[in-house]
Amino acid sequence: MLKCRQCRQIVAHETIEHNQGVGQQAFEYRKRTTELNKTKQCNSWFLGHWDTGEEIQGRMDCTCGAKLGTFHLAGLACSCGTWVSPAFAVSKSKVDRSHPVDQPTSH
């Protein structure tokens, strides 16, 4: 479950996984840094769905107004080098990830 860091509201219950990319080698030359052979970790959580209305691309905002990330129905490149399509990317620096606590069962 992902919660907005600003207001603590739940913004998503689950994320989708993707295969780790090849890092900087997957990017165009002008987007590369000096760390070409270093594998980069993902900077975003990807969601399976976000209500975009009629938009094809844009910002993903919390109800409190905080920017959580971006979406693009044609896809986005993850910081690890993998292409994710469609992409609903929430920045890891804007949300906290928590796991729901299992409720004890009574016997």
Side-chain angles (χ1 to χ4, degrees), residues 29-43:
Y29 180 75
R30 70 181 198 287
K31 291 186 177 184
R32 293 180 182 176
T33 65
T34 57
E35 303 170 338
L36 184 61
N37 294 323
K38 186 176 180 184
T39 303
K40 189 162 184 179
Q41 297 298 318
C42 302
N43 293 334

Side-chain angles (χ1 to χ4, degrees), residues 16-19 46-49 56 70-78 81-89:
I16 59 171
E17 300 295 324
H18 61 276
N19 294 328
F46 287 90
L47 309 180
H49 176 74
I56 295 174
T70 59
F71 71 90
H72 199 299
L73 298 182
L76 293 170
C78 180
T82 297
W83 187 261
V84 181
S85 179
F88 304 97

